Amino acid sequence: MNIPSSIWTLIIGVVLTLLSLWYGQNHGLLPVAATDEAVLVDGLFNTMMIVSTGIFLLVEGILIYSAIKYRRRAGDNEDGPPIEGNVPLEILWTAIPAIIVLGISVYSFEVYNDIGGFDPHSVHEAPITQESMTMRGTALAATLSDTPPSTGPNLNQEKSDQAMEDPATAAVRNADQIPQKRNAPGVGSVAPTIGGSPERAGLPPELRVNITGLQYAWIFTYPDTGITTGEMHVPVGREVQINMTANDVIHAFWVPEFRLKQDAIPGRQSEIRFTPRIAGTYDLICAELCGPYHGAMRSQIVVETQEAYDAWMQEQLVASSETLNQAVAVNPADLSPDEFLTHYTKDMGIQPEMLHHMHQMSVE
């Protein structure tokens, strides 16, 4: 039975499409999507995986078929036929990738916008000025160095001042020692920001957490309650806003299950909004080389039910009160600073070795 080539092409196309769709949705390369934003990012990743799988199978299939069908036969010593090119084929294999790249670019833009990357109430609220379009070195000024003196509002400083209004945050940050960077010309805050989704643009977050990165620990403070802890607890289904900076060098907030990664930069106030959707305990990893103990700079983010979160918060409030009374009663005269603090930082998830190392650095 002689099957027409058009039928073979249709059958192969259907098989490749089904295989690509199946693998793109079942590759198992990503951890659980624990936030609403992670679902959107996974949709983009799965789409790219479907496309790349189809292209891979098609190209490799043609190569293997051609290598077998057009292999050199025994006794065939003639040269191959000269082929100068095929214009329609070249147009086809140029146009198809261009359309794919354009489609993925548009989809990527939509995903970035949906997770709050283009929040008009954060980094992009200042209009582009003529100065910013003509000023020499604007790109460097916006990313690497401070900007010329200006009488306009400094959004980065305002965010820092707002965070420092919380006594618990002020106790762990050194904003008074690190100058806050001014706004980039005509762009707004120089700090990286992922704001609320378009549906929540302009609305306040349901929970605020201030995060301070330092060698080699993450410190979490809750402005609404004054709690300071070494691990972060958030309730399922409530939008969380993180205000983040660093006391010494650049760190990076990365939770693989959240599909979010943001730098914590000295002198800049980074912000992230996300909405947890699956309860569990997730590792917070510093993804920026920050010193010899960088690999140990880890913490945990606990996503739990509202009832469990309320119970944890109540426990922290009680523990904070008891710890304060104990701290007042104890005379640390015979203890070194790191020995005295070990009892309290143990509950915050800070290792004694890290505390000793930070004390030695402060002495030096």
Side-chain angles (χ1 to χ4, degrees):
M1 179 180 179
N2 187 15
I3 301 178
S5 59
S6 58
I7 301 299
W8 275 117
T9 302
L10 177 61
I11 295 175
I12 293 173
V14 170
V15 172
L16 288 180
T17 300
L18 293 177
L19 287 175
S20 301
L21 288 171
W22 177 83
Y23 183 73
Q25 301 293 329
N26 299 276
H27 50 75
L29 298 176
L30 299 175
V32 62
T35 64
D36 291 346
E37 292 74 16
V39 175
L40 298 174
V41 175
D42 285 5
L44 173 61
F45 184 87
N46 292 342
T47 299
M48 293 190 294
M49 184 61 67
I50 291 171
V51 173
S52 59
T53 300
I55 293 176
F56 173 80
L57 293 176
L58 176 63
V59 172
E60 294 303 316
I62 293 176
L63 285 176
I64 294 173
Y65 172 80
S66 300
I68 295 175
K69 181 174 179 60
Y70 302 107
R71 68 188 184 278
R72 180 180 178 183
R73 310 289 180 174
D76 183 5
N77 297 319
E78 298 181 359
D79 293 334
I83 300 176
E84 297 182 359
N86 188 310
V87 175
L89 185 60
E90 293 175 1
I91 293 175
L92 181 66
W93 71 41
T94 302
I96 291 178
I99 294 173
I100 292 174
V101 170
L102 180 61
I104 292 178
S105 299
V106 173
Y107 188 13
S108 302
F109 181 92
E110 289 297 324
V111 170
Y112 188 60
N113 183 51
D114 289 342
I115 66 175
F118 294 103
D119 182 4
H121 296 274
S122 56
V123 66
H124 302 281
E125 64 184 349
I128 299 295
T129 63
Q130 184 65 29
E131 175 191 7
S132 66
M133 293 185 286
T134 59
M135 178 180 177
R136 184 177 181 180
T138 296
L140 291 177
T143 55
L144 300 180
S145 64
D146 211 345
T147 58
S150 172
T151 58
N154 188 339
L155 302 181
N156 198 55
Q157 183 66 57
E158 292 175 3
K159 291 180 180 179
S160 175
D161 294 341
Q162 181 181 5
M164 295 293 282
E165 291 176 359
D166 171 38
T169 301
V172 298
R173 290 190 178 180
N174 58 354
D176 56 329
Q177 303 175 25
I178 299 179
Q180 300 298 305
K181 298 293 185 181
R182 290 200 59 83
N183 302 340
V187 177
S189 173
V190 295
T193 300
I194 296 180
S197 62
E199 294 78 14
R200 293 191 57 84
L203 298 177
E206 297 177 89
L207 176 65
R208 298 179 187 269
V209 182
N210 293 334
I211 299 181
T212 305
L214 66 158
Q215 295 173 311
Y216 298 91
W218 298 101
I219 306 297
F220 307 93
T221 54
Y222 292 75
D224 296 335
T225 58
I227 293 300
T228 300
T229 179
E231 68 177 17
M232 182 175 170
H233 285 241
V234 294
V236 173
R238 292 180 61 187
E239 186 185 52
V240 181
Q241 176 179 292
I242 292 176
N243 173 279
M244 181 168 45
T245 190
N247 278 2
D248 36 41
V249 299
I250 298 177
H251 302 280
F253 175 97
W254 180 42
V255 183
E257 291 82 0
F258 291 3
R259 312 291 191 268
L260 293 174
K261 178 177 175 290
Q262 191 67 280
D263 285 346
I265 308 172
R268 302 187 181 185
Q269 306 296 313
S270 305
E271 288 187 357
I272 302 179
R273 287 198 188 194
F274 62 90
T275 304
R277 60 185 294 268
I278 298 179
T281 300
Y282 307 103
D283 289 332
L284 166 57
I285 303 168
C286 178
E288 191 80 35
L289 181 61
C290 57
Y293 296 98
H294 159 71
M297 187 172 172
R298 288 172 174 255
S299 185
Q300 290 184 328
I301 296 182
V302 180
V303 179
E304 53 198 357
T305 63
Q306 184 65 50
E307 294 75 14
Y309 171 77
D310 292 338
W312 173 84
M313 183 60 69
Q314 188 61 35
E315 291 175 0
Q316 297 304 307
L317 289 171
V318 173
S320 297
S321 177
E322 293 177 352
T323 300
L324 177 60
N325 294 333
Q326 294 174 7
V328 172
V330 172
N331 181 6
D334 297 330
L335 301 176
S336 66
D338 51 317
E339 291 173 336
F340 173 66
L341 292 173
T342 297
H343 173 72
Y344 308 102
T345 55
K346 177 178 63 177
D347 296 333
M348 299 170 60
I350 302 176
Q351 301 299 321
E353 296 79 6
M354 294 183 184
L355 190 64
H356 177 72
H357 178 69
M358 289 187 286
H359 173 61
Q360 292 297 325
M361 291 181 61
S362 64
V363 173
E364 296 174 0

